[in-house]
Amino acid sequence: MRGHVAQKGNKYYIVVDMHDEVTQKRRRKWISGPHGGFDKKRDAERALPDILKSLNNETFVEPTNKTFGEIMETWLQDKKTSVKHGTWKSYEWLVHTHINPNLGTVKGTKLKPQHLHDLYHKTLLPKLAVGSIKKVHVIILDALNRAVIWGLVSQNVAQFVSLPQGKKKKFEVWNEQQLKLFLDEAQKDQYYTAFELAASTGMRQSEILALRRVDVDLPRKMASVRQAYTLAEKGHDFDDTKNDSSVRSIALFANTVELLEKHLEKQERERSRNKLYKDSGLVIQTSAGTPLGPRNLMRHYYRIIDNIQKEVPDFPRIRFHDLRHTHATLLLKAGIHPKIVQERLGHSSINVTLDTYSHVLPNLQEAVLNNIGDSILGKDFESLIDGEKPALLD
């Protein structure tokens, strides 16, 4: 493959003699600079060797005026039809708030690893948690991968960038006494059942609000998670759960079964008395039978905490999602195997559970060692000291 520089008007172009695989004939390809031709002949001559090399290696990308911001905007709009709306809204926020305002004007072909390194380590680290910066990186990786496939850039420069390290943000949970204080106060609220389900099952808020009566088997003491009440383009709507592992069955405590029996009986009475009742078939719904919105539930949740703090000012104000973490933490403290906790929470793997609650597990070692005895040999062998034959040797 050969090439030379030619002038057309007041611009210079690189002309390459190529073999057309379709027509099997020789053809000439005119390549302009990044702005529709080179202003100076020597600039075109300097670019010629690299262009010939990239053409031979099949890594050549036609010069484009697309900015990195335009590449991100196109990716964002295309992503709208392939992910859930709530997920897309989080992408939109990161792109419009943190990516494009900082790097949107950089030409896509001029984007370098240094740009992204500075974005992560200097611009975003003081503002965002490390976990959020990782999400930014994943978004950019995906957008640039697509840009490479579509021939907008020659390589994905994001793959060469290291992410900042930082301490994992720890969530706050209630202990047994604090949870009891909350549930005692929550009994006065019309949505007490929702709060008790969060504490006793570890279900996500979206799963609780989408739980149908047909998915609750009280004789078997089981609740099946089959859908979620999530953010839609207009308001909220029912959708699939977060992932495949989120579809699960959860064993219910006896107290929870008793509460649900009374709750569903009360719901039946409301349906029969109110002719305007629009039954949604849900376990948790408004007094009119319609689905309960997350914001409405949160108003009730924080009102309960406010009432408690009037009497107990230092009562922790944790998030609703932290009831899920409280559930898992109390189970682990009670000696429940992490695999069971994983299944109840609907984590994709036990590694997610172990990683999420890694700060809890070391505290359980003392209790485990106490159960074993004074040595690795266990309590059976301790009986040898007293002249007894351990059961293992029978």
Side-chain angles (χ1 to χ4, degrees), residues 190-236:
Q190 71 180 101
Y191 298 123
Y192 168 60
T193 304
F195 304 128
E196 205 281 338
L197 282 172
S200 67
T201 67
M203 292 167 63
R204 300 175 179 90
Q205 181 199 77
S206 61
E207 296 169 344
I208 293 172
L209 296 179
L211 184 65
R212 300 174 300 178
R213 291 192 297 270
V214 295
D215 291 327
V216 177
D217 189 340
L218 294 182
R220 292 182 58 240
K221 299 181 180 180
M222 298 291 290
S224 299
V225 178
R226 296 289 180 266
Q227 61 180 5
Y229 194 52
T230 59
L231 187 67
E233 195 158 359
K234 291 184 179 179
H236 288 76

mmCIF file of all heavy atoms in Angstrom, residues 190-236:
data_model
loop_
_atom_site.group_PDB
_atom_site.id
_atom_site.type_symbol
_atom_site.label_atom_id
_atom_site.label_comp_id
_atom_site.label_asym_id
_atom_site.label_seq_id
_atom_site.Cartn_x
_atom_site.Cartn_y
_atom_site.Cartn_z
ATOM 1 N N GLN A 190 -50.112 2.808 59.429
ATOM 2 C CA GLN A 190 -50.922 1.963 58.553
ATOM 3 C C GLN A 190 -50.087 1.041 57.675
ATOM 4 O O GLN A 190 -50.596 0.034 57.172
ATOM 5 C CB GLN A 190 -51.835 2.828 57.680
ATOM 6 C CG GLN A 190 -51.125 3.619 56.596
ATOM 7 C CD GLN A 190 -52.056 4.464 55.756
ATOM 8 O OE1 GLN A 190 -52.166 5.667 55.941
ATOM 9 N NE2 GLN A 190 -52.745 3.830 54.820
ATOM 10 N N TYR A 191 -48.807 1.366 57.496
ATOM 11 C CA TYR A 191 -47.956 0.532 56.655
ATOM 12 C C TYR A 191 -46.950 -0.274 57.476
ATOM 13 O O TYR A 191 -45.850 -0.603 57.009
ATOM 14 C CB TYR A 191 -47.234 1.393 55.625
ATOM 15 C CG TYR A 191 -48.193 2.107 54.685
ATOM 16 C CD1 TYR A 191 -48.175 3.492 54.557
ATOM 17 C CD2 TYR A 191 -49.137 1.393 53.959
ATOM 18 C CE1 TYR A 191 -49.070 4.139 53.716
ATOM 19 C CE2 TYR A 191 -50.040 2.026 53.123
ATOM 20 C CZ TYR A 191 -50.003 3.401 53.011
ATOM 21 O OH TYR A 191 -50.904 4.037 52.185
ATOM 22 N N TYR A 192 -47.335 -0.594 58.683
ATOM 23 C CA TYR A 192 -46.467 -1.378 59.570
ATOM 24 C C TYR A 192 -46.028 -2.683 58.909
ATOM 25 O O TYR A 192 -44.881 -3.107 59.037
ATOM 26 C CB TYR A 192 -47.202 -1.669 60.882
ATOM 27 C CG TYR A 192 -46.523 -2.696 61.751
ATOM 28 C CD1 TYR A 192 -45.232 -2.490 62.230
ATOM 29 C CD2 TYR A 192 -47.174 -3.886 62.100
ATOM 30 C CE1 TYR A 192 -44.601 -3.427 63.040
ATOM 31 C CE2 TYR A 192 -46.557 -4.836 62.896
ATOM 32 C CZ TYR A 192 -45.269 -4.599 63.367
ATOM 33 O OH TYR A 192 -44.651 -5.531 64.157
ATOM 34 N N THR A 193 -46.923 -3.328 58.186
ATOM 35 C CA THR A 193 -46.593 -4.611 57.556
ATOM 36 C C THR A 193 -45.406 -4.472 56.613
ATOM 37 O O THR A 193 -44.561 -5.370 56.528
ATOM 38 C CB THR A 193 -47.810 -5.163 56.790
ATOM 39 O OG1 THR A 193 -48.922 -5.258 57.681
ATOM 40 C CG2 THR A 193 -47.516 -6.532 56.213
ATOM 41 N N ALA A 194 -45.326 -3.362 55.895
ATOM 42 C CA ALA A 194 -44.205 -3.149 54.973
ATOM 43 C C ALA A 194 -42.885 -3.067 55.734
ATOM 44 O O ALA A 194 -41.867 -3.624 55.311
ATOM 45 C CB ALA A 194 -44.424 -1.864 54.171
ATOM 46 N N PHE A 195 -42.892 -2.378 56.857
ATOM 47 C CA PHE A 195 -41.665 -2.221 57.646
ATOM 48 C C PHE A 195 -41.259 -3.542 58.298
ATOM 49 O O PHE A 195 -40.073 -3.872 58.366
ATOM 50 C CB PHE A 195 -41.872 -1.139 58.711
ATOM 51 C CG PHE A 195 -42.303 0.183 58.137
ATOM 52 C CD1 PHE A 195 -43.414 0.846 58.625
ATOM 53 C CD2 PHE A 195 -41.608 0.759 57.085
ATOM 54 C CE1 PHE A 195 -43.818 2.063 58.093
ATOM 55 C CE2 PHE A 195 -42.006 1.974 56.536
ATOM 56 C CZ PHE A 195 -43.115 2.625 57.043
ATOM 57 N N GLU A 196 -42.255 -4.322 58.742
ATOM 58 C CA GLU A 196 -41.940 -5.609 59.351
ATOM 59 C C GLU A 196 -41.391 -6.579 58.311
ATOM 60 O O GLU A 196 -40.455 -7.334 58.590
ATOM 61 C CB GLU A 196 -43.204 -6.177 60.000
ATOM 62 C CG GLU A 196 -42.941 -7.150 61.143
ATOM 63 C CD GLU A 196 -42.574 -8.544 60.683
ATOM 64 O OE1 GLU A 196 -42.915 -8.901 59.534
ATOM 65 O OE2 GLU A 196 -41.940 -9.282 61.458
ATOM 66 N N LEU A 197 -41.943 -6.533 57.093
ATOM 67 C CA LEU A 197 -41.427 -7.386 56.018
ATOM 68 C C LEU A 197 -39.982 -7.035 55.687
ATOM 69 O O LEU A 197 -39.159 -7.924 55.446
ATOM 70 C CB LEU A 197 -42.298 -7.248 54.769
ATOM 71 C CG LEU A 197 -43.622 -8.010 54.757
ATOM 72 C CD1 LEU A 197 -44.448 -7.619 53.543
ATOM 73 C CD2 LEU A 197 -43.381 -9.523 54.770
ATOM 74 N N ALA A 198 -39.673 -5.754 55.663
ATOM 75 C CA ALA A 198 -38.298 -5.328 55.365
ATOM 76 C C ALA A 198 -37.331 -5.864 56.410
ATOM 77 O O ALA A 198 -36.233 -6.339 56.081
ATOM 78 C CB ALA A 198 -38.227 -3.803 55.305
ATOM 79 N N ALA A 199 -37.745 -5.812 57.680
ATOM 80 C CA ALA A 199 -36.862 -6.246 58.765
ATOM 81 C C ALA A 199 -36.762 -7.763 58.860
ATOM 82 O O ALA A 199 -35.691 -8.299 59.185
ATOM 83 C CB ALA A 199 -37.356 -5.669 60.086
ATOM 84 N N SER A 200 -37.853 -8.470 58.572
ATOM 85 C CA SER A 200 -37.876 -9.921 58.800
ATOM 86 C C SER A 200 -37.529 -10.752 57.573
ATOM 87 O O SER A 200 -37.252 -11.950 57.700
ATOM 88 C CB SER A 200 -39.260 -10.343 59.311
ATOM 89 O OG SER A 200 -40.243 -10.163 58.310
ATOM 90 N N THR A 201 -37.547 -10.140 56.381
ATOM 91 C CA THR A 201 -37.239 -10.906 55.162
ATOM 92 C C THR A 201 -36.016 -10.381 54.415
ATOM 93 O O THR A 201 -35.440 -11.109 53.614
ATOM 94 C CB THR A 201 -38.428 -10.887 54.178
ATOM 95 O OG1 THR A 201 -38.613 -9.556 53.674
ATOM 96 C CG2 THR A 201 -39.710 -11.360 54.854
ATOM 97 N N GLY A 202 -35.641 -9.111 54.632
ATOM 98 C CA GLY A 202 -34.518 -8.539 53.883
ATOM 99 C C GLY A 202 -34.876 -8.177 52.460
ATOM 100 O O GLY A 202 -33.992 -7.912 51.639
ATOM 101 N N MET A 203 -36.164 -8.154 52.132
ATOM 102 C CA MET A 203 -36.582 -7.790 50.780
ATOM 103 C C MET A 203 -36.279 -6.326 50.503
ATOM 104 O O MET A 203 -36.290 -5.488 51.410
ATOM 105 C CB MET A 203 -38.088 -8.045 50.600
ATOM 106 C CG MET A 203 -38.470 -9.513 50.607
ATOM 107 S SD MET A 203 -40.266 -9.776 50.771
ATOM 108 C CE MET A 203 -40.854 -8.998 49.274
ATOM 109 N N ARG A 204 -36.010 -6.019 49.234
ATOM 110 C CA ARG A 204 -35.813 -4.641 48.812
ATOM 111 C C ARG A 204 -37.150 -3.894 48.853
ATOM 112 O O ARG A 204 -38.216 -4.508 48.763
ATOM 113 C CB ARG A 204 -35.241 -4.588 47.397
ATOM 114 C CG ARG A 204 -33.888 -5.282 47.235
ATOM 115 C CD ARG A 204 -33.445 -5.287 45.782
ATOM 116 N NE ARG A 204 -32.150 -5.922 45.601
ATOM 117 C CZ ARG A 204 -31.975 -7.218 45.364
ATOM 118 N NH1 ARG A 204 -33.030 -8.019 45.270
ATOM 119 N NH2 ARG A 204 -30.754 -7.714 45.204
ATOM 120 N N GLN A 205 -37.070 -2.579 48.946
ATOM 121 C CA GLN A 205 -38.285 -1.767 48.961
ATOM 122 C C GLN A 205 -39.152 -2.043 47.733
ATOM 123 O O GLN A 205 -40.367 -2.219 47.836
ATOM 124 C CB GLN A 205 -37.932 -0.286 49.026
ATOM 125 C CG GLN A 205 -39.142 0.640 49.074
ATOM 126 C CD GLN A 205 -38.791 2.060 48.667
ATOM 127 O OE1 GLN A 205 -38.629 2.358 47.490
ATOM 128 N NE2 GLN A 205 -38.667 2.938 49.654
ATOM 129 N N SER A 206 -38.524 -2.094 46.562
ATOM 130 C CA SER A 206 -39.267 -2.310 45.315
ATOM 131 C C SER A 206 -39.943 -3.670 45.302
ATOM 132 O O SER A 206 -41.007 -3.845 44.703
ATOM 133 C CB SER A 206 -38.326 -2.177 44.112
ATOM 134 O OG SER A 206 -37.284 -3.146 44.174
ATOM 135 N N GLU A 207 -39.338 -4.666 45.973
ATOM 136 C CA GLU A 207 -39.907 -6.008 46.017
ATOM 137 C C GLU A 207 -41.095 -6.065 46.980
ATOM 138 O O GLU A 207 -42.089 -6.742 46.716
ATOM 139 C CB GLU A 207 -38.835 -7.007 46.440
ATOM 140 C CG GLU A 207 -37.694 -7.119 45.431
ATOM 141 C CD GLU A 207 -36.506 -7.890 45.960
ATOM 142 O OE1 GLU A 207 -36.406 -8.084 47.189
ATOM 143 O OE2 GLU A 207 -35.644 -8.287 45.156
ATOM 144 N N ILE A 208 -40.987 -5.356 48.092
ATOM 145 C CA ILE A 208 -42.083 -5.313 49.069
ATOM 146 C C ILE A 208 -43.309 -4.649 48.456
ATOM 147 O O ILE A 208 -44.437 -5.136 48.597
ATOM 148 C CB ILE A 208 -41.633 -4.563 50.339
ATOM 149 C CG1 ILE A 208 -40.557 -5.362 51.069
ATOM 150 C CG2 ILE A 208 -42.819 -4.292 51.263
ATOM 151 C CD1 ILE A 208 -39.910 -4.618 52.213
ATOM 152 N N LEU A 209 -43.088 -3.538 47.747
ATOM 153 C CA LEU A 209 -44.201 -2.799 47.157
ATOM 154 C C LEU A 209 -44.842 -3.539 45.988
ATOM 155 O O LEU A 209 -45.942 -3.193 45.564
ATOM 156 C CB LEU A 209 -43.725 -1.414 46.697
ATOM 157 C CG LEU A 209 -43.250 -0.473 47.818
ATOM 158 C CD1 LEU A 209 -42.777 0.853 47.251
ATOM 159 C CD2 LEU A 209 -44.366 -0.240 48.829
ATOM 160 N N ALA A 210 -44.159 -4.557 45.452
ATOM 161 C CA ALA A 210 -44.694 -5.328 44.317
ATOM 162 C C ALA A 210 -45.161 -6.720 44.726
ATOM 163 O O ALA A 210 -45.624 -7.490 43.879
ATOM 164 C CB ALA A 210 -43.640 -5.449 43.222
ATOM 165 N N LEU A 211 -45.050 -7.046 46.022
ATOM 166 C CA LEU A 211 -45.422 -8.382 46.483
ATOM 167 C C LEU A 211 -46.928 -8.592 46.352
ATOM 168 O O LEU A 211 -47.734 -7.853 46.916
ATOM 169 C CB LEU A 211 -44.988 -8.565 47.944
ATOM 170 C CG LEU A 211 -45.234 -9.947 48.547
ATOM 171 C CD1 LEU A 211 -44.389 -11.004 47.832
ATOM 172 C CD2 LEU A 211 -44.938 -9.938 50.049
ATOM 173 N N ARG A 212 -47.320 -9.605 45.614
ATOM 174 C CA ARG A 212 -48.742 -9.898 45.387
ATOM 175 C C ARG A 212 -49.250 -10.893 46.436
ATOM 176 O O ARG A 212 -48.491 -11.711 46.958
ATOM 177 C CB ARG A 212 -48.945 -10.473 43.992
ATOM 178 C CG ARG A 212 -48.509 -9.545 42.862
ATOM 179 C CD ARG A 212 -48.602 -10.235 41.515
ATOM 180 N NE ARG A 212 -47.742 -11.429 41.452
ATOM 181 C CZ ARG A 212 -47.674 -12.234 40.411
ATOM 182 N NH1 ARG A 212 -48.418 -12.001 39.347
ATOM 183 N NH2 ARG A 212 -46.869 -13.293 40.436
ATOM 184 N N ARG A 213 -50.551 -10.828 46.690
ATOM 185 C CA ARG A 213 -51.144 -11.767 47.642
ATOM 186 C C ARG A 213 -50.984 -13.211 47.158
ATOM 187 O O ARG A 213 -50.796 -14.126 47.972
ATOM 188 C CB ARG A 213 -52.624 -11.444 47.850
ATOM 189 C CG ARG A 213 -52.859 -10.129 48.608
ATOM 190 C CD ARG A 213 -54.306 -9.998 49.051
ATOM 191 N NE ARG A 213 -55.235 -9.942 47.926
ATOM 192 C CZ ARG A 213 -55.619 -8.829 47.324
ATOM 193 N NH1 ARG A 213 -55.122 -7.651 47.724
ATOM 194 N NH2 ARG A 213 -56.489 -8.844 46.328
ATOM 195 N N VAL A 214 -51.055 -13.426 45.855
ATOM 196 C CA VAL A 214 -50.935 -14.792 45.321
ATOM 197 C C VAL A 214 -49.527 -15.352 45.496
ATOM 198 O O VAL A 214 -49.325 -16.566 45.347
ATOM 199 C CB VAL A 214 -51.335 -14.840 43.826
ATOM 200 C CG1 VAL A 214 -52.796 -14.497 43.638
ATOM 201 C CG2 VAL A 214 -50.442 -13.908 42.996
ATOM 202 N N ASP A 215 -48.559 -14.472 45.766
ATOM 203 C CA ASP A 215 -47.180 -14.916 45.951
ATOM 204 C C ASP A 215 -46.851 -15.180 47.418
ATOM 205 O O ASP A 215 -45.697 -15.466 47.759
ATOM 206 C CB ASP A 215 -46.202 -13.873 45.385
ATOM 207 C CG ASP A 215 -46.270 -13.787 43.874
ATOM 208 O OD1 ASP A 215 -46.520 -14.826 43.250
ATOM 209 O OD2 ASP A 215 -46.077 -12.682 43.322
ATOM 210 N N VAL A 216 -47.855 -15.070 48.280
ATOM 211 C CA VAL A 216 -47.661 -15.355 49.707
ATOM 212 C C VAL A 216 -48.418 -16.630 50.059
ATOM 213 O O VAL A 216 -49.636 -16.705 49.909
ATOM 214 C CB VAL A 216 -48.160 -14.180 50.579
ATOM 215 C CG1 VAL A 216 -48.022 -14.528 52.061
ATOM 216 C CG2 VAL A 216 -47.383 -12.911 50.258
ATOM 217 N N ASP A 217 -47.678 -17.648 50.498
ATOM 218 C CA ASP A 217 -48.263 -18.939 50.884
ATOM 219 C C ASP A 217 -48.148 -19.063 52.401
ATOM 220 O O ASP A 217 -47.142 -19.554 52.934
ATOM 221 C CB ASP A 217 -47.514 -20.069 50.182
ATOM 222 C CG ASP A 217 -48.191 -21.429 50.358
ATOM 223 O OD1 ASP A 217 -48.989 -21.556 51.308
ATOM 224 O OD2 ASP A 217 -47.902 -22.337 49.565
ATOM 225 N N LEU A 218 -49.172 -18.611 53.101
ATOM 226 C CA LEU A 218 -49.117 -18.593 54.562
ATOM 227 C C LEU A 218 -49.094 -19.990 55.181
ATOM 228 O O LEU A 218 -48.372 -20.211 56.162
ATOM 229 C CB LEU A 218 -50.283 -17.771 55.112
ATOM 230 C CG LEU A 218 -50.228 -16.264 54.760
ATOM 231 C CD1 LEU A 218 -51.400 -15.531 55.396
ATOM 232 C CD2 LEU A 218 -48.911 -15.646 55.201
ATOM 233 N N PRO A 219 -49.847 -20.979 54.655
ATOM 234 C CA PRO A 219 -49.756 -22.334 55.235
ATOM 235 C C PRO A 219 -48.331 -22.896 55.178
ATOM 236 O O PRO A 219 -47.897 -23.599 56.099
ATOM 237 C CB PRO A 219 -50.713 -23.156 54.361
ATOM 238 C CG PRO A 219 -51.725 -22.153 53.879
ATOM 239 C CD PRO A 219 -50.930 -20.894 53.650
ATOM 240 N N ARG A 220 -47.600 -22.576 54.113
ATOM 241 C CA ARG A 220 -46.211 -23.056 53.986
ATOM 242 C C ARG A 220 -45.203 -22.075 54.566
ATOM 243 O O ARG A 220 -44.006 -22.334 54.565
ATOM 244 C CB ARG A 220 -45.876 -23.302 52.505
ATOM 245 C CG ARG A 220 -46.637 -24.464 51.889
ATOM 246 C CD ARG A 220 -46.238 -24.685 50.438
ATOM 247 N NE ARG A 220 -44.809 -24.941 50.297
ATOM 248 C CZ ARG A 220 -43.972 -24.196 49.582
ATOM 249 N NH1 ARG A 220 -44.424 -23.123 48.928
ATOM 250 N NH2 ARG A 220 -42.701 -24.491 49.499
ATOM 251 N N LYS A 221 -45.695 -20.923 55.022
ATOM 252 C CA LYS A 221 -44.845 -19.880 55.606
ATOM 253 C C LYS A 221 -43.765 -19.430 54.612
ATOM 254 O O LYS A 221 -42.581 -19.335 54.946
ATOM 255 C CB LYS A 221 -44.189 -20.378 56.901
ATOM 256 C CG LYS A 221 -45.170 -20.753 57.986
ATOM 257 C CD LYS A 221 -44.460 -21.221 59.250
ATOM 258 C CE LYS A 221 -45.469 -21.596 60.320
ATOM 259 N NZ LYS A 221 -44.813 -22.057 61.565
ATOM 260 N N MET A 222 -44.193 -19.131 53.385
ATOM 261 C CA MET A 222 -43.267 -18.729 52.333
ATOM 262 C C MET A 222 -43.800 -17.505 51.586
ATOM 263 O O MET A 222 -45.021 -17.356 51.404
ATOM 264 C CB MET A 222 -43.058 -19.861 51.333
ATOM 265 C CG MET A 222 -42.449 -21.124 51.901
ATOM 266 S SD MET A 222 -40.712 -20.923 52.393
ATOM 267 C CE MET A 222 -39.945 -20.757 50.776
ATOM 268 N N ALA A 223 -42.886 -16.654 51.160
ATOM 269 C CA ALA A 223 -43.211 -15.531 50.274
ATOM 270 C C ALA A 223 -42.311 -15.622 49.055
ATOM 271 O O ALA A 223 -41.097 -15.819 49.187
ATOM 272 C CB ALA A 223 -43.009 -14.197 50.984
ATOM 273 N N SER A 224 -42.896 -15.488 47.870
ATOM 274 C CA SER A 224 -42.126 -15.590 46.630
ATOM 275 C C SER A 224 -41.954 -14.218 46.002
ATOM 276 O O SER A 224 -42.929 -13.501 45.768
ATOM 277 C CB SER A 224 -42.832 -16.523 45.636
ATOM 278 O OG SER A 224 -42.943 -17.818 46.176
ATOM 279 N N VAL A 225 -40.703 -13.855 45.722
ATOM 280 C CA VAL A 225 -40.395 -12.573 45.076
ATOM 281 C C VAL A 225 -40.378 -12.805 43.576
ATOM 282 O O VAL A 225 -39.548 -13.569 43.067
ATOM 283 C CB VAL A 225 -39.037 -12.025 45.556
ATOM 284 C CG1 VAL A 225 -38.706 -10.716 44.848
ATOM 285 C CG2 VAL A 225 -39.053 -11.825 47.067
ATOM 286 N N ARG A 226 -41.292 -12.150 42.867
ATOM 287 C CA ARG A 226 -41.442 -12.389 41.431
ATOM 288 C C ARG A 226 -41.353 -11.110 40.594
ATOM 289 O O ARG A 226 -41.133 -11.173 39.391
ATOM 290 C CB ARG A 226 -42.783 -13.076 41.136
ATOM 291 C CG ARG A 226 -42.901 -14.480 41.741
ATOM 292 C CD ARG A 226 -42.009 -15.451 41.006
ATOM 293 N NE ARG A 226 -42.083 -16.795 41.549
ATOM 294 C CZ ARG A 226 -41.261 -17.277 42.462
ATOM 295 N NH1 ARG A 226 -40.277 -16.507 42.927
ATOM 296 N NH2 ARG A 226 -41.371 -18.515 42.911
ATOM 297 N N GLN A 227 -41.531 -9.949 41.202
ATOM 298 C CA GLN A 227 -41.501 -8.701 40.451
ATOM 299 C C GLN A 227 -41.069 -7.564 41.372
ATOM 300 O O GLN A 227 -40.893 -7.750 42.579
ATOM 301 C CB GLN A 227 -42.879 -8.408 39.847
ATOM 302 C CG GLN A 227 -43.990 -8.243 40.875
ATOM 303 C CD GLN A 227 -45.335 -7.946 40.240
ATOM 304 O OE1 GLN A 227 -45.496 -7.947 39.023
ATOM 305 N NE2 GLN A 227 -46.334 -7.641 41.057
ATOM 306 N N ALA A 228 -40.905 -6.374 40.773
ATOM 307 C CA ALA A 228 -40.483 -5.196 41.531
ATOM 308 C C ALA A 228 -41.269 -3.982 41.049
ATOM 309 O O ALA A 228 -41.672 -3.914 39.881
ATOM 310 C CB ALA A 228 -38.984 -4.967 41.371
ATOM 311 N N TYR A 229 -41.487 -3.045 41.948
ATOM 312 C CA TYR A 229 -42.187 -1.797 41.620
ATOM 313 C C TYR A 229 -41.113 -0.737 41.433
ATOM 314 O O TYR A 229 -40.543 -0.233 42.396
ATOM 315 C CB TYR A 229 -43.131 -1.423 42.761
ATOM 316 C CG TYR A 229 -44.153 -0.359 42.411
ATOM 317 C CD1 TYR A 229 -44.973 -0.485 41.294
ATOM 318 C CD2 TYR A 229 -44.313 0.772 43.206
ATOM 319 C CE1 TYR A 229 -45.923 0.472 40.981
ATOM 320 C CE2 TYR A 229 -45.259 1.740 42.906
ATOM 321 C CZ TYR A 229 -46.057 1.589 41.797
ATOM 322 O OH TYR A 229 -46.992 2.545 41.491
ATOM 323 N N THR A 230 -40.802 -0.422 40.187
ATOM 324 C CA THR A 230 -39.634 0.395 39.883
ATOM 325 C C THR A 230 -39.999 1.673 39.133
ATOM 326 O O THR A 230 -41.097 1.829 38.624
ATOM 327 C CB THR A 230 -38.626 -0.409 39.027
ATOM 328 O OG1 THR A 230 -39.272 -0.832 37.815
ATOM 329 C CG2 THR A 230 -38.135 -1.633 39.781
ATOM 330 N N LEU A 231 -39.013 2.570 39.065
ATOM 331 C CA LEU A 231 -39.175 3.840 38.367
ATOM 332 C C LEU A 231 -39.422 3.601 36.886
ATOM 333 O O LEU A 231 -38.722 2.835 36.233
ATOM 334 C CB LEU A 231 -37.923 4.695 38.558
ATOM 335 C CG LEU A 231 -37.960 6.131 38.043
ATOM 336 C CD1 LEU A 231 -38.955 6.952 38.852
ATOM 337 C CD2 LEU A 231 -36.569 6.756 38.130
ATOM 338 N N ALA A 232 -40.462 4.257 36.349
ATOM 339 C CA ALA A 232 -40.783 4.176 34.922
ATOM 340 C C ALA A 232 -40.617 5.560 34.300
ATOM 341 O O ALA A 232 -40.341 6.541 34.997
ATOM 342 C CB ALA A 232 -42.204 3.664 34.718
ATOM 343 N N GLU A 233 -40.763 5.642 32.973
ATOM 344 C CA GLU A 233 -40.606 6.933 32.310
ATOM 345 C C GLU A 233 -41.629 7.932 32.822
ATOM 346 O O GLU A 233 -41.360 9.124 32.920
ATOM 347 C CB GLU A 233 -40.732 6.763 30.797
ATOM 348 C CG GLU A 233 -40.241 7.965 30.017
ATOM 349 C CD GLU A 233 -39.867 7.611 28.589
ATOM 350 O OE1 GLU A 233 -39.968 6.429 28.205
ATOM 351 O OE2 GLU A 233 -39.466 8.524 27.859
ATOM 352 N N LYS A 234 -42.797 7.420 33.202
ATOM 353 C CA LYS A 234 -43.816 8.242 33.851
ATOM 354 C C LYS A 234 -44.231 7.542 35.135
ATOM 355 O O LYS A 234 -44.936 6.529 35.105
ATOM 356 C CB LYS A 234 -45.029 8.441 32.935
ATOM 357 C CG LYS A 234 -44.751 9.308 31.714
ATOM 358 C CD LYS A 234 -46.024 9.546 30.909
ATOM 359 C CE LYS A 234 -45.747 10.432 29.689
ATOM 360 N NZ LYS A 234 -46.985 10.657 28.883
ATOM 361 N N GLY A 235 -43.781 8.065 36.248
ATOM 362 C CA GLY A 235 -44.126 7.479 37.534
ATOM 363 C C GLY A 235 -43.426 6.158 37.783
ATOM 364 O O GLY A 235 -42.242 5.997 37.495
ATOM 365 N N HIS A 236 -44.163 5.169 38.333
ATOM 366 C CA HIS A 236 -43.625 3.853 38.630
ATOM 367 C C HIS A 236 -44.476 2.778 37.953
ATOM 368 O O HIS A 236 -45.633 2.997 37.618
ATOM 369 C CB HIS A 236 -43.598 3.610 40.147
ATOM 370 C CG HIS A 236 -42.552 4.410 40.852
ATOM 371 N ND1 HIS A 236 -42.688 5.766 41.103
ATOM 372 C CD2 HIS A 236 -41.344 4.055 41.367
ATOM 373 C CE1 HIS A 236 -41.624 6.210 41.734
ATOM 374 N NE2 HIS A 236 -40.795 5.192 41.909
#
